[in-house]
Amino acid sequence: MIAEPSPAPDTSQKENDGQEATAPASAVQNGGCVKNPSNLTPKERRKVREQCENVRKKNILRRKRSSQPENDEDEIEEVVEAVTLFEVVSLGKVAMQSVVDDWIEAYKEDRDLALLDLINFFIQCSGCQGMVTAEMYQSLHSSDILKKMIEKFDEETGLQYKRIMARPWILTVTWPMELEDEGYPIVKPGPHWKKFKANFCEFTAVLIQQCQYSILYDGYLMNTITSLLSGLTGSVVRAFRHTSTLAAMKLVTALVSVIQNLDVSIHNAQQLYEVEKNRTPEGETGPRLDELDRKRKECQQKPMEIENMMNALFKGTFVRRYRDVIPEIRIVCIEEMGSWLKLYPNMFLNDCYLKYVGWMLYDKQAEVRLKCLQGLRGLYEHKELIFKMGLFNTRFKSRIVSMTTDKEPEVAVEAMKLVMLMVLHCGNTVSSEECEAMYHFVYATYRPLAVVAGELLCKRLFCLPPGEEEAPHFKKKNKFVYSFRRLKKLIIFFLNHGFHKHVTYLVDSLWDWEDGLLRDWECLTNLLRDKSIRKEEAFTDAQETVLVEIIAAAVRQTVEGHPPVGRGGRKVLTAKERKSQMEECARMTEHFIVVLPELLAKYSSDIEKVTNFLQIPQYYNLNVYVTGRLEKYLDALLKEMKELVHRHSDLNILEACSKVYSIFCNEQLAIFPIVSEARHQLIEEMVKDFYQLLDDFFQEEEGFDISEEHILRMSCTLKKLTAFHNAHDLTSWHIGDWTLKILNFEKENGGLPVETLIPALQCSYFALLWQLELATEALVDEAPPSQETLSELKEQMTCFRLICESYLNHHNKDVREKAFILLCDLLIVLSHQGVDEDEDFALLKFLPDHDLQSKMIQFVKDHVFGEINSPEEKNKEEAHRLDSIYRKRVILSEYCKLIAFNVVEMMTAVEIYKHYMPTYHDFGDIIKETINRTRHNDRIESARTLIVCLQELYQNHMATYCSNNSRKKHIESSANFASIKELARRFSLTFGWDQMNSRESIAMIHKEGIDFAFHGDSQDIDYYLPPNLTFLVIISEFSNKLLKPDKKLVYYYLQEFVTDHMLLTCKGEKWHPLYCYRSSLIGTDDDAESTIASSFREWPPPDRSKVIATKRKFSDGSLMDISLPGSSRQATDLHSDSQLSFFSWKSKTVTSDENTMDVSSLAVQDTTRRMDDMMESLPEEQTEDLNEDIDVLDIDEVNL
């Protein structure tokens, strides 16, 4: 709301100490009463506001009626609905150009009235619904003006005032303090306010655009707007600063567009003048030439005026706000600066303006840094602008390069794009060493960053020096040579850098930028098949290996179409992309069906190359064999794979061949009969060799033959059978019976080589799983297996289980680890039999007994944690050490699966949790996941394992502490005690922020911890220091997870153990744990010993005359009334109830010299599960309220 003054020669008067402002004459004439707002009462302010609003509406209505017919009353009423610019822009129903044109017409009629309308628009856009008044200042001296530029707060009315100089007025803006806490229009959420912000920005741009031919240069409009916005940007109110900064920046951007148009006008005016001058005889002038000369000079003068306007806005707003504490304001400044640099480089593209962008590269807000980089990228994309940025490159290049490792991935991607442009367009600005560092990002986990790094690598690696570029016709004629050169560069890069061993990630990074090189299957395979390459240019063996890996990775990328593991999920393809992918997959299949058998034959002796080649058939479109009439190439492939199986014993090749056979042996495919027959023949040959070797191994008279030749052949055959038994059902050949016989022989007699035992163990396990799978399928087909079949299967599983148990003590480490892994897997299978299937399957169910569990946890301790600090482990090379850690992780994860699936007792996890901190780097993720899984199964038992773990570690520490006779040293200061305390802190963090779900578990931990701290084997706590009092320091780490009512319950429980003798002697450092624990429960930091003692002594008894009644509301909406008359309560000794539940707090009595306290019996467990979800967060001031919806009954706050 505004009072509407008009300029008058005698309207300004001097103020007496700034206490009263004089209203312009027009305001008085129109009924407006403008006084100093700080001297007005609230009632007077409302009256002034209503008067100003009425005057405003009358003027608008009068102006509209002058242009409307007298009888068009309906339209007049509709016009009144939106009487201010803010309302019109907010509604957005009128074209912005029409709104601005109407305002310009009003400005031409009465510029003061129109300007006040525009001023009020900016104030209202800031969310200010208060009163805006104005006073003329023409005759005021500068000192008086400065007095008016104030910003103060009226404590009585709760209003804040700001004086703003907006030539030719000094505005007084009044707004409530709540404005700072409420949202203002340009930041409010929702589609309406987002549209309003867009309309606001559009209005400022259209305003300048429509004014550029008329009132922009009158020296009145822009001066007023500039002074207004500059004044608002200095406000302490965020809404004023943000809105005015946004408006000022958009105005500058609009002025930049105007000055660009002026360049065209100047050029046209100059051309017209030159043409007319050439027509006019030399030495003569005419009226037309003079007119053109005048227009030319006017056009040439206007850019200077525009630049002065931009400078005023820049210095009044940008310079003051580009480092604002609010990141949104900084973002607005930097974003618009980027557009100015690009649109009008003649003025802005110099070090005076670029320095602001460079400084904001160090901003702590990621969005600000991102806008800086985006603005700079718009400059580096234009080569003609880069020559002006030499000093900027020197000063900020290192910062831009370092931002490629920014913690925000979007900023890192933008920095990488900018570095790429600097590399391509700025010559040697980025050094070769810095480029090499950028190349490593092709292996980054964040795929967008890796893709940009791949683009940089392609453009940098595949480009030729100037003068050596190849013509397009050369690339077409010599495509093979051109691709050969590019691929060789890529392979050499991969081998020389040695930064990563996985080609898959390199291929994924280059996939969008390699210009079809990695999908040119003919070229890729011809490089391996063609022998016409000159010897000096040919690939080396290592380079050929990398090329084969690239081919395999490219095939996978073509078929699957999604990034490799660790780079995000599957990409959703459009219908067009899916069609293109299927066509490319068919083309790839047709090519490799023909070529792959030849390549397998050529490289059959190279294990690594063959393994990669065998990955390709897994991605075939197998119908192409029939539709393309390529069955002869299928026979060739099966023949080559058969030769590979007979020739190699490497497990990778054997498993790859087995997988190809498994994929091809699909009964739905037309090629199934051919592949099935080939597979059957191959298995028959392997089984025949196996039987022959068994006859030589087990001779009735000679016993066991251990010749090296037989050992090698048996090991190879067992590996082949194991690889095929993994993917194919070989039950009909009874392989498992013979492998069990071999394992039993080793169990009873020993002496078999390790090379035979490990594949025999694996093969036996696969055989048992296939038999179980067949029995389950028979049950699904409504033909359940007989009891005899199940009994025989149980006997075999029991035999294999006992073999694995015995092998846990085998002399060979590899055999021990393999037996343990298979035993864990078998126990998981057996423990869940008879649950979902027929009851007959319960015959197979088995759970390990206590002895077996003890053996297995001891195995984990010896093989996982027992070798951590051994000298052999420390002396290993890095590669061997990593391999050792991997094997240990496998063992640990196998046993943790038993805990998570309730196969073994949860309490066995205590021995694992003890090593959480020492082995956090290697096994921390596995142990933490185990804690989470066990908590999901049973919250209470899981919490019990944590407290037992801490108790045992504490007892071991105390035993070591006492044996070393180091009682002179404080227990809590030892490093071992600190590690236990840190472990407790880590355990508490695993409970997360949901205190309601973990309520019972945390309460149990505190109860068990207090019991452990105050109970000892040989000491009387009535006369001596509690034996484990320092344990309270450890469990205090869990206090922050307690709800406030539960903290009181725990504190009551703690009081039961504090005897009178303790109250008299609890002084000195030895009682410090009790002080710390008490502070963690009641929330005080007072360490005074007297305070602790008095807090236990001076607790007054509750008023027994009152009947404590409360209602608890359960999740189902039901209510439970509880009435506990004080006279009916009976005191009970807590110490007599040794079976006290950790979640039910019994009635307790504390007897002291002065009073007796009684705490009511509560059942937390029964009602906590049904508590209302609204109780997840309790207001602190309401936790004492007995009517609060929580399952705890508290003592009256006055008695505390």
Side-chain angles (χ1 to χ4, degrees):
M1 283 68 73
I2 59 174
E4 306 172 20
S6 60
D10 246 354
T11 55
S12 57
Q13 301 176 3
K14 289 190 177 181
E15 296 180 328
N16 298 323
D17 297 330
Q19 294 298 318
E20 183 168 342
T22 304
S26 63
V28 177
Q29 293 171 2
N30 287 301
C33 183
V34 184
K35 297 182 180 180
N36 190 344
S38 61
N39 295 331
L40 294 176
T41 64
K43 186 175 181 179
E44 291 174 338
R45 289 195 185 94
R46 284 197 302 272
K47 186 176 180 180
V48 171
R49 191 160 54 242
E50 291 172 359
Q51 290 175 347
C52 294
E53 184 64 24
N54 291 335
V55 170
R56 169 72 180 147
K57 290 184 177 180
K58 288 178 182 179
N59 292 336
I60 295 294
L61 189 58
R62 187 185 306 114
R63 192 169 63 213
K64 293 295 181 181
R65 279 176 176 173
S66 63
S67 60
Q68 294 285 343
E70 293 180 358
N71 57 354
D72 198 0
E73 296 294 337
D74 294 337
E75 295 184 7
I76 293 175
E77 291 178 1
E78 292 179 359
V79 171
V80 176
E81 292 180 0
V83 296
T84 64
L85 278 176
F86 175 77
E87 293 171 351
V88 174
V89 173
S90 179
L91 292 175
K93 295 181 179 180
V94 183
M96 208 58 63
Q97 186 171 346
S98 301
V99 175
V100 173
D101 289 341
D102 291 342
W103 182 87
I104 293 175
E105 292 298 325
Y107 181 86
K108 292 178 180 179
E109 293 179 8
D110 187 346
R111 68 180 185 180
D112 291 333
L113 183 62
L115 272 176
L116 282 176
D117 195 9
L118 183 62
I119 290 170
N120 198 53
F121 166 73
F122 287 119
I123 298 298
Q124 287 183 322
C125 287
S126 300
C128 178
Q129 301 299 326
M131 180 172 58
V132 181
T133 61
E135 54 186 279
M136 305 297 286
Y137 84 104
Q138 283 93 338
S139 62
L140 296 180
H141 298 294
S142 59
S143 60
D144 297 321
I145 294 174
L146 292 176
K147 288 181 181 179
K148 293 182 177 292
M149 309 311 294
I150 58 175
E151 189 164 0
K152 62 181 181 179
F153 172 62
D154 187 351
E155 296 182 357
E156 295 181 359
T157 61
L159 297 177
Q160 191 161 352
Y161 310 99
K162 181 173 179 62
R163 298 280 183 91
I164 307 169
M165 187 184 344
R167 300 169 187 267
W169 305 283
I170 294 179
L171 301 177
T172 302
V173 184
T174 307
W175 72 93
M177 281 299 294
E178 289 77 7
L179 177 63
E180 296 186 0
D181 300 326
E182 298 177 357
Y184 45 98
I186 64 173
V187 298
K188 284 184 179 180
H192 171 74
W193 296 110
K194 289 182 179 179
K195 183 180 179 181
F196 170 80
K197 183 178 180 180
N199 292 339
F200 176 77
C201 297
E202 183 184 359
F203 175 82
T204 57
V206 174
L207 177 65
I208 299 298
Q209 178 183 352
Q210 296 301 106
C211 294
Q212 64 177 318
Y213 303 111
S214 55
I215 61 177
L216 185 62
Y217 308 99
D218 64 355
Y220 193 78
L221 171 65
M222 289 305 299
N223 287 345
T224 303
I225 295 177
T226 302
S227 58
L228 169 70
L229 298 179
S230 299
L232 289 177
T233 54
S235 174
V236 297
V237 180
R238 170 182 174 176
F240 287 153
R241 296 201 315 275
H242 192 180
T243 306
S244 59
T245 302
L246 177 61
M249 297 299 101
K250 293 297 181 181
L251 286 174
V252 176
T253 304
L255 289 172
V256 169
S257 300
V258 170
I259 207 169
Q260 286 180 315
N261 296 334
L262 283 175
D263 292 339
V264 178
S265 300
I266 292 172
H267 178 73
N268 294 337
Q270 183 67 30
Q271 283 187 336
L272 289 174
Y273 177 78
E274 294 294 337
V275 170
E276 187 65 24
K277 185 177 180 181
N278 293 333
R279 290 179 180 177
T280 305
E282 186 176 356
E284 297 182 7
T285 60
R288 178 172 174 77
L289 184 62
D290 294 338
E291 180 68 18
L292 291 175
D293 185 40
R294 184 183 61 80
K295 289 184 179 180
R296 178 176 63 90
K297 292 179 179 179
E298 286 180 0
C299 290
Q300 291 175 349
Q301 188 177 2
K302 284 182 179 180
M304 186 176 297
E305 296 181 17
I306 296 293
E307 289 183 1
N308 291 335
M309 298 176 193
M310 291 191 292
N311 280 328
L313 285 170
F314 181 83
K315 294 177 180 178
T317 55
F318 183 93
V319 174
R320 300 170 65 184
R321 294 274 69 84
Y322 81 98
R323 290 191 298 180
D324 195 280
V325 69
I326 305 301
E328 289 81 0
I329 298 178
R330 304 199 300 272
I331 290 171
V332 169
C333 293
I334 294 301
E335 186 175 13
E336 296 304 316
M337 170 65 82
S339 63
W340 306 338
L341 292 169
K342 183 178 179 181
L343 295 175
Y344 192 42
N346 293 336
M347 174 180 176
F348 290 102
L349 192 56
N350 57 66
D351 298 328
C352 295
Y353 294 96
L354 283 171
K355 64 182 180 181
Y356 296 106
V357 181
W359 290 341
M360 298 311 290
L361 290 172
Y362 296 89
D363 195 276
K364 63 181 180 181
Q365 198 71 23
E367 188 68 18
V368 179
R369 301 195 300 273
L370 183 63
K371 293 299 181 183
C372 291
L373 294 170
Q374 289 174 345
L376 291 173
R377 187 157 65 92
L379 298 178
Y380 282 95
E381 287 174 349
H382 299 81
K383 294 183 179 180
E384 64 275 9
L385 302 179
I386 295 176
F387 74 95
K388 295 183 178 181
M389 304 181 65
L391 183 59
F392 179 85
N393 292 338
T394 304
R395 173 64 180 82
F396 296 105
K397 183 258 298 182
S398 59
R399 171 57 183 166
I400 294 173
V401 172
S402 67
M403 291 177 73
T404 56
T405 59
D406 196 280
K407 65 178 181 179
E408 296 295 334
E410 292 82 5
V411 178
V413 171
E414 199 64 34
M416 182 64 69
K417 293 179 180 179
L418 184 56
V419 170
M420 180 177 63
L421 292 174
M422 295 175 69
V423 171
L424 298 177
H425 297 162
C426 296
N428 297 325
T429 300
V430 182
S431 63
S432 300
E433 293 77 10
E434 291 171 332
C435 288
E436 293 289 334
M438 297 299 103
Y439 297 158
H440 292 166
F441 286 99
V442 296
Y443 303 108
T445 304
Y446 189 61
R447 190 174 188 273
L449 179 61
V451 170
V452 178
E455 182 183 2
L456 172 62
L457 179 62
C458 287
K459 293 182 177 179
R460 180 81 173 179
L461 192 65
F462 297 153
C463 69
L464 295 175
E468 299 182 13
E469 293 87 352
E470 296 171 342
H473 68 275
F474 174 82
K475 297 179 181 179
K476 294 181 180 180
K477 291 182 179 180
N478 301 278
K479 184 179 180 180
F480 178 79
V481 177
Y482 177 69
S483 300
F484 170 76
R485 292 177 181 175
R486 297 173 71 196
L487 276 172
K488 192 163 187 178
K489 288 182 180 179
L490 182 62
I491 294 171
I492 292 174
F493 160 78
F494 178 80
L495 292 174
N496 290 347
H497 284 74
F499 188 76
H500 209 279
K501 295 183 179 179
H502 299 290
V503 177
T504 306
Y505 294 90
L506 177 62
V507 171
D508 180 58
S509 301
L510 302 177
W511 194 248
D512 299 329
W513 306 106
E514 39 74 32
D515 193 22
L517 175 65
L518 301 181
R519 279 165 282 196
D520 190 348
W521 312 117
E522 184 178 359
C523 178
L524 291 172
T525 52
N526 286 341
L527 290 174
L528 295 173
R529 300 166 61 195
D530 200 326
K531 299 181 180 179
S532 61
I533 302 177
R534 290 183 298 178
K535 186 175 182 181
E536 61 273 11
E537 294 182 353
F539 285 120
T540 64
D541 183 67
Q543 292 172 349
E544 283 186 343
T545 302
V546 174
L547 179 58
V548 174
E549 292 181 16
I550 289 175
I551 293 174
V555 168
R556 187 206 66 83
Q557 189 84 2
T558 300
V559 177
E560 295 184 352
H562 59 79
V565 177
R567 280 193 176 172
R570 291 180 176 270
K571 179 182 178 181
V572 179
L573 302 178
T574 62
K576 183 178 180 180
E577 291 174 338
R578 185 62 183 171
K579 180 180 179 181
S580 176
Q581 182 188 29
M582 294 177 64
E583 293 174 354
E584 185 64 31
C585 180
R587 190 172 68 86
M588 178 273 297
T589 302
E590 292 175 357
H591 177 76
F592 279 100
I593 282 177
V594 177
V595 173
L596 186 60
E598 179 184 346
L599 293 175
L600 288 175
K602 179 179 179 180
Y603 295 101
S604 60
S605 60
D606 193 316
I607 295 176
E608 194 170 358
K609 292 187 182 68
V610 169
T611 303
N612 286 307
F613 278 135
L614 289 174
Q615 306 300 319
I616 297 176
Q618 302 174 19
Y619 303 103
Y620 280 179
N621 181 1
L622 297 177
N623 293 322
V624 175
Y625 274 112
V626 178
T627 57
R629 298 182 179 181
L630 302 173
E631 291 85 351
K632 63 177 182 179
Y633 295 104
L634 175 62
D635 296 335
L637 178 62
L638 296 175
K639 178 182 177 181
E640 292 298 331
M641 287 199 300
K642 182 177 180 181
E643 293 294 330
L644 291 173
V645 171
H646 286 310
R647 182 172 184 174
H648 292 280
S649 61
D650 182 78
L651 196 58
N652 293 326
I653 291 182
L654 296 175
E655 289 179 348
C657 290
S658 176
K659 188 173 183 179
V660 172
Y661 274 108
S662 176
I663 294 173
F664 282 33
C665 286
N666 187 345
E667 296 181 359
Q668 306 298 325
L669 297 174
I671 62 174
F672 172 72
I674 302 175
V675 181
S676 178
E677 180 64 23
R679 179 188 62 175
H680 187 272
Q681 292 179 1
L682 177 60
I683 294 176
E684 280 284 354
E685 294 176 4
M686 292 189 296
V687 171
K688 182 178 180 181
D689 293 340
F690 178 62
Y691 286 161
Q692 183 179 356
L693 290 171
L694 285 176
D695 293 339
D696 296 337
F697 261 59
F698 298 103
Q699 298 178 5
E700 296 183 1
E701 298 181 358
E702 299 180 13
F704 178 60
D705 188 355
I706 56 173
S707 65
E708 294 183 1
E709 181 182 356
H710 283 337
I711 292 173
L712 180 60
R713 290 180 59 192
M714 176 62 78
S715 174
C716 294
T717 305
L718 281 174
K719 286 181 180 180
K720 296 173 185 178
L721 291 174
T722 301
F724 275 80
H725 215 336
N726 186 16
H728 306 271
D729 182 15
L730 308 184
T731 305
S732 58
W733 284 276
H734 303 287
I735 305 296
D737 297 339
W738 289 102
T739 53
L740 281 177
K741 184 177 180 181
I742 294 175
L743 296 175
N744 269 321
F745 183 89
E746 169 65 17
K747 175 184 174 183
E748 297 172 358
N749 303 313
L752 286 178
V754 176
E755 294 81 1
T756 304
L757 291 177
I758 293 178
L761 279 168
Q762 191 70 67
C763 192
S764 300
Y765 177 70
F766 289 149
L768 293 175
L769 291 184
W770 276 109
Q771 293 183 50
L772 184 62
E773 176 67 17
L774 292 176
T776 306
E777 289 179 358
L779 180 64
V780 173
D781 296 337
E782 299 182 358
S786 62
Q787 287 289 333
E788 181 181 356
T789 303
L790 293 176
S791 299
E792 182 180 354
L793 179 58
K794 178 182 179 181
E795 182 180 352
Q796 292 180 352
M797 288 188 170
T798 303
C799 178
F800 182 74
R801 176 175 56 81
L802 294 175
I803 289 173
C804 290
E805 289 183 30
S806 65
Y807 280 13
L808 294 180
N809 299 319
H810 198 272
H811 62 85
N812 185 270
K813 180 180 179 181
D814 294 336
V815 175
R816 294 197 302 268
E817 293 179 353
K818 191 65 176 180
F820 180 84
I821 294 172
L822 295 177
L823 178 60
C824 291
D825 291 341
L826 183 65
L827 290 176
I828 292 177
V829 173
L830 297 180
S831 63
H832 291 76
Q833 296 301 319
V835 178
D836 298 326
E837 296 87 358
D838 189 83
E839 294 181 357
D840 294 337
F841 277 78
L843 183 66
L844 303 176
K845 186 173 182 178
F846 174 80
L847 291 174
D849 55 15
H850 181 72
D851 293 338
L852 180 56
Q853 293 184 38
S854 300
K855 291 180 182 179
M856 298 183 72
I857 190 61
Q858 187 62 40
F859 184 91
V860 174
K861 291 168 62 178
D862 294 340
H863 289 76
V864 177
F865 304 115
E867 301 177 356
I868 296 297
N869 297 320
S870 62
E872 295 81 3
E873 190 74 14
K874 294 180 180 179
N875 295 331
K876 285 182 178 179
E877 296 181 0
E878 183 67 16
H880 295 290
R881 192 184 69 83
L882 293 176
D883 181 66
S884 176
I885 291 176
Y886 171 75
R887 297 174 65 173
K888 291 176 182 179
R889 286 176 61 86
V890 172
I891 295 174
L892 180 61
S893 60
E894 287 288 340
Y895 189 78
C896 288
K897 284 194 296 184
L898 298 181
I899 300 173
F901 288 108
N902 296 321
V903 179
V904 298
E905 296 177 2
M906 194 180 297
M907 196 56 64
T908 59
V910 170
E911 297 298 330
I912 296 176
Y913 296 164
K914 290 179 182 179
H915 300 86
Y916 184 45
M917 291 302 299
T919 62
Y920 183 80
H921 180 71
D922 296 332
F923 313 120
D925 56 334
I926 299 176
I927 298 176
K928 186 176 181 180
E929 183 64 21
T930 305
I931 295 175
N932 294 334
R933 292 293 185 92
T934 55
R935 184 172 295 135
H936 179 75
N937 295 338
D938 190 337
R939 296 180 182 275
I940 301 303
E941 189 64 20
S942 176
R944 188 185 297 277
T945 59
L946 301 182
I947 190 64
V948 170
C949 173
L950 295 173
Q951 290 173 357
E952 292 186 5
L953 287 174
Y954 177 82
Q955 288 176 334
N956 295 338
H957 166 65
M958 292 301 296
T960 305
Y961 176 81
C962 297
S963 62
N964 293 336
N965 297 321
S966 57
R967 284 199 174 272
K968 294 182 179 180
K969 183 180 178 182
H970 201 276
I971 298 177
E972 299 175 49
S973 62
S974 64
N976 196 8
F977 185 87
S979 66
I980 300 175
K981 190 171 182 291
E982 176 63 17
L983 179 61
R985 188 185 72 83
R986 294 290 183 92
F987 283 164
S988 69
L989 292 177
T990 61
F991 285 96
W993 295 102
D994 193 352
Q995 292 178 309
M996 292 301 297
N997 285 337
S998 59
R999 187 180 183 188
E1000 299 174 4
S1001 304
I1002 298 296
M1004 186 277 299
I1005 288 177
H1006 281 276
K1007 180 195 174 297
E1008 296 289 336
I1010 294 172
D1011 291 343
F1012 178 76
F1014 283 91
H1015 286 103
D1017 298 333
S1018 60
Q1019 292 181 327
D1020 187 355
I1021 64 172
D1022 290 334
Y1023 300 97
Y1024 298 99
L1025 184 72
N1028 301 318
L1029 188 65
T1030 51
F1031 191 73
L1032 294 177
V1033 177
I1034 296 175
I1035 63 172
S1036 66
E1037 296 291 338
F1038 296 91
S1039 297
N1040 62 336
K1041 298 298 181 181
L1042 284 169
L1043 293 173
K1044 188 174 182 180
D1046 293 345
K1047 286 185 178 180
K1048 288 187 177 181
L1049 282 175
V1050 174
Y1051 189 52
Y1052 297 160
Y1053 187 71
L1054 176 65
Q1055 286 181 295
E1056 295 294 329
F1057 297 91
V1058 182
T1059 63
D1060 296 340
H1061 182 74
M1062 290 182 184
L1063 294 177
L1064 297 175
T1065 60
C1066 59
K1067 297 180 181 180
E1069 291 186 359
K1070 61 183 179 180
W1071 291 95
H1072 183 264
L1074 185 60
Y1075 309 155
C1076 295
Y1077 187 55
R1078 182 255 186 190
S1079 298
S1080 69
L1081 293 176
I1082 65 176
T1084 62
D1085 297 328
D1086 190 1
D1087 292 335
E1089 300 162 3
S1090 60
T1091 303
I1092 301 299
S1094 62
S1095 66
F1096 286 107
R1097 283 197 196 97
E1098 300 176 2
W1099 201 283
D1103 188 357
R1104 295 176 179 272
S1105 63
K1106 298 180 180 179
V1107 177
I1108 304 177
T1110 186
K1111 292 184 178 181
R1112 301 196 186 107
K1113 185 178 181 181
F1114 298 139
S1115 59
D1116 58 359
S1118 61
L1119 295 174
M1120 181 177 71
D1121 294 331
I1122 301 176
S1123 297
L1124 299 174
S1127 58
S1128 63
R1129 294 182 231 167
Q1130 297 180 356
T1132 305
D1133 187 5
L1134 179 66
H1135 300 293
S1136 64
D1137 189 5
S1138 60
Q1139 302 298 326
L1140 178 65
S1141 174
F1142 46 79
F1143 48 78
S1144 297
W1145 304 89
K1146 299 293 183 180
S1147 178
K1148 304 180 284 291
T1149 300
V1150 179
T1151 304
S1152 63
D1153 297 338
E1154 300 178 0
N1155 52 45
T1156 302
M1157 182 179 68
D1158 187 15
V1159 182
S1160 303
S1161 173
L1162 300 175
V1164 178
Q1165 180 190 25
D1166 295 336
T1167 56
T1168 299
R1169 296 194 184 102
R1170 298 179 295 175
M1171 290 182 60
D1172 199 308
D1173 293 337
M1174 296 296 293
M1175 293 308 301
E1176 292 187 3
S1177 58
L1178 294 177
E1180 183 175 350
E1181 63 272 16
Q1182 296 180 4
T1183 54
E1184 305 293 338
D1185 191 355
L1186 292 176
N1187 293 325
E1188 192 70 19
D1189 182 18
I1190 188 168
D1191 188 28
V1192 174
L1193 195 62
D1194 294 336
I1195 303 300
D1196 186 57
E1197 186 176 7
V1198 178
N1199 293 332
L1200 299 181

